[in-house]
Amino acid sequence: MKPVDIIVPCYNEEESIEIFYKECTDILRNIKDYNFNYIFINDGSKDNTLKIIKNLSEKTTNVKYISFSRNFGKESAILAGLKESTGDYVILMDVDLQHPPKLILDMMPLIEEGYDSVAAKREARKGEKRYREYFSIKFYKLINKISDVNIPEGATDYRIMSRQMVDCVLALEESQRFTKGIFEWVGFETKWLGYESEERVAGTTKWSGLALLKYALEGIVGFSTAPLRIATIIGLIFSGFSFIYFVITLIKTLVIGIDMPGYASIICFITFLGGIQLIVLGILGEYLSKTYLEVKRRPNYFVKESNIYKEK
Ligand code: UDP
Ligand code: MG
């Protein structure tokens, strides 16, 4: 029996956990050659999530948990789960059943076939707002163009990975973790399976529009330095224009003489350039702040309690 770890980040998910565990267990019963273990990460929930997970771990034999000292975010929860995983394969899954457990039935044979990872991507988006879908598509187009990773549109964190790949993901020690990019960056062969997204079983999404924008920025700044080149490119273009303008003005002055009008165009030009300078400064600031956070070398999370360390 090969051991497989299922990592499940939970943040205020008191209603979903038991439904999730039951549904998974029902489905995974059909796969015989594996021993499935769960690692629930309580990411600083404010409701009864921890109580329910602890309860579940006492009633069952295959549930481990890690509980953070506060909410550190899903990326940190995933990292904690991966660090504590010991199985030959590791599965990452959301607790709200938006990642259909029955897909594991398709994933297992593929990973046995020799893929290093089998990952799920959303094909239809039930219960998702139109504008989100639009920006999502645009985001993946952009990040794939300007970075050296290639993330398919609709890619989710739902995936199974081999031990070897998990160890490589863990070898990246950056604290600003954009996992979707990291999974691509480490290489290996990933098979993508499409699935139809369901609405969550209970609770609400933890992602606001602003949080998604932050996440997208994180991805771009984390995996591409192309935006930093914007200043150079714009600078070159404007220097070119101003040189041509200088030549034209010089010739005009020599031929026709000096005339005064041009106030409005000068103002337009100055404000336009000022705007561009501020944008470029902002971009520099993004990278600087990431560098700042990175050099502080703060831990990604603190564990308040867990039933894992007791066993070790
Ligand atoms: N999650 C987490 N920490 C957070 C936010 C979310 O561990 O700060 C978990 C959440 O409990 C769920 C998964 O990450 O299991 C995905 O969250 P959600 O369903 O809110 O995201 P969506 O499916 O809307 O992208
Ligand atoms: Mg969800």
Side-chain angles (χ1 to χ4, degrees), residues 87-277:
D88 292 2
Y89 301 124
V90 177
I91 297 174
L92 296 181
M93 236 172 145
D94 285 359
V95 74
D96 55 15
L97 289 177
Q98 280 187 310
H99 294 164
K102 60 175 188 296
L103 212 63
I104 296 178
L105 301 179
D106 301 330
M107 287 178 169
M108 295 315 301
L110 284 165
I111 196 127
E112 283 299 342
E113 223 171 77
Y115 285 104
D116 305 286
S117 177
V118 185
K121 62 174 193 211
R122 260 182 318 223
E123 241 139 44
R125 289 161 178 261
K126 267 187 226 162
E128 185 150 81
K129 294 193 187 86
R130 266 284 167 78
Y131 75 91
R132 283 203 174 184
E133 192 177 341
Y134 174 79
F135 283 114
S136 168
I137 291 170
K138 284 271 176 276
F139 165 68
Y140 286 107
K141 278 228 173 90
L142 179 69
I143 193 167
N144 290 337
K145 205 167 178 180
I146 64 175
S147 72
D148 44 10
V149 295
N150 200 351
I151 310 169
E153 203 281 311
T156 65
D157 294 329
Y158 184 21
R159 63 165 68 217
I160 183 167
M161 283 178 282
S162 65
R163 180 81 261 156
Q164 189 190 18
M165 181 163 166
V166 170
D167 289 342
C168 292
V169 168
L170 287 174
L172 298 191
E173 286 177 348
E174 60 213 67
S175 63
Q176 309 290 302
R177 297 184 81 83
F178 180 71
T179 326
K180 263 180 218 170
I182 291 178
F183 292 148
E184 289 308 304
W185 194 88
V186 294
F188 297 98
E189 209 178 337
T190 298
K191 169 90 183 156
W192 288 96
L193 293 179
Y195 76 97
E196 278 196 19
S197 174
E198 300 287 329
E199 283 184 50
R200 38 161 60 239
V201 273
T204 51
T205 174
K206 314 295 179 297
W207 291 95
S208 62
L210 209 65
L212 279 173
L213 184 69
K214 232 182 106 193
Y215 181 73
L217 266 180
E218 202 110 308
I220 290 171
V221 175
F223 281 87
S224 169
T225 48
L228 287 175
R229 231 162 285 145
I230 290 176
T232 320
I233 294 165
I234 296 177
L236 281 173
I237 294 172
F238 273 89
S239 314
F241 277 139
S242 68
F243 181 71
I244 296 167
Y245 190 68
F246 168 74
V247 174
I248 294 171
T249 318
L250 192 71
I251 295 170
K252 257 174 128 184
T253 314
L254 292 176
V255 178
I256 318 169
I258 302 168
D259 60 355
M260 268 316 268
Y263 178 74
S265 59
I266 286 173
I267 292 294
C268 287
F269 214 63
I270 288 173
T271 47
F272 180 60
L273 263 185
I276 286 175
Q277 279 169 348

Side-chain angles (χ1 to χ4, degrees), residues 7 39-41 71 132 171 182 220 234 268 277 295 298:
I7 295 171
I39 305 177
F40 286 93
I41 294 97
N71 178 252
R132 283 203 174 184
I182 291 178
I220 290 171
I234 296 177
C268 287
Q277 279 169 348
V295 293
R298 282 191 182 160

Side-chain angles (χ1 to χ4, degrees), residues 221 228 277-293:
V221 175
L228 287 175
Q277 279 169 348
L278 283 179
I279 292 170
V280 170
L281 266 181
I283 294 172
L284 277 178
E286 284 295 324
Y287 284 90
L288 187 66
S289 72
K290 290 282 175 279
T291 317
Y292 173 59
L293 289 173

